[in-house]
Amino acid sequence: QVQLVESGGGLVQAGGSLRLSCAASGSGLSFTRMGWYRQTPGKRELVAAITPDNNTNYADSVKGRFTISGDNAKNTVYLRMNSLKPEDTAVYYCWMLGSTWQSGLRNYWGQGTQVTVSS
């Protein structure tokens, strides 16, 4: 059974920084892409994603402010968020496109962590 465990959300003032972490676990787990979505009322957005060979992509709204990185040995990804804005306020969900010994390629989701940026 695959689990994605997130940490690092919270409340921060505009201009501040936070780092999110997501650790994936499961028997024979390997991932194709891993990253973060965020959800606000009426909108879900892919914030950033990374591949095992460190190819990354970002939403235009976070380019230059957010950095995604990964530790393949630990199946863990990190999202460093700098220069946070009130519009970054959302629930951030860790996401993984991966497979295990028991299942083919599919999407997995974390439980979500709240990020709130005050003005």
Side-chain angles (χ1 to χ4, degrees):
Q1 186 172 355
V2 174
Q3 281 192 315
L4 303 182
V5 179
E6 303 154 345
S7 61
L11 173 65
V12 65
Q13 287 189 329
S17 299
L18 285 173
R19 191 180 83 151
L20 306 182
S21 300
C22 176
S25 61
S27 297
L29 180 65
S30 64
F31 75 92
T32 299
R33 291 179 80 200
M34 199 165 172
W36 299 87
Y37 276 81
R38 64 187 180 187
Q39 178 78 51
T40 57
K43 182 180 179 182
R44 185 175 73 170
E45 176 183 35
L46 176 61
V47 177
I50 189 169
T51 65
D53 55 355
N54 290 322
N55 288 316
T56 59
N57 64 286
Y58 297 91
D60 287 343
S61 58
V62 307
K63 283 180 181 176
R65 300 188 298 121
F66 291 12
T67 303
I68 189 169
S69 60
D71 184 336
N72 290 347
K74 297 180 180 179
N75 280 331
T76 299
V77 293
Y78 307 94
L79 185 67
R80 177 68 180 181
M81 304 184 292
N82 293 330
S83 302
L84 282 160
K85 304 175 180 180
E87 51 264 43
D88 294 317
T89 296
V91 179
Y92 285 69
Y93 291 92
C94 181
W95 159 76
M96 184 186 74
L97 178 63
S99 61
T100 69
W101 293 334
Q102 288 83 29
S103 69
L105 200 63
R106 55 161 288 186
N107 292 306
Y108 296 94
W109 297 93
Q111 78 279 7
T113 186
Q114 177 71 45
V115 171
T116 302
V117 185
S118 63
S119 57

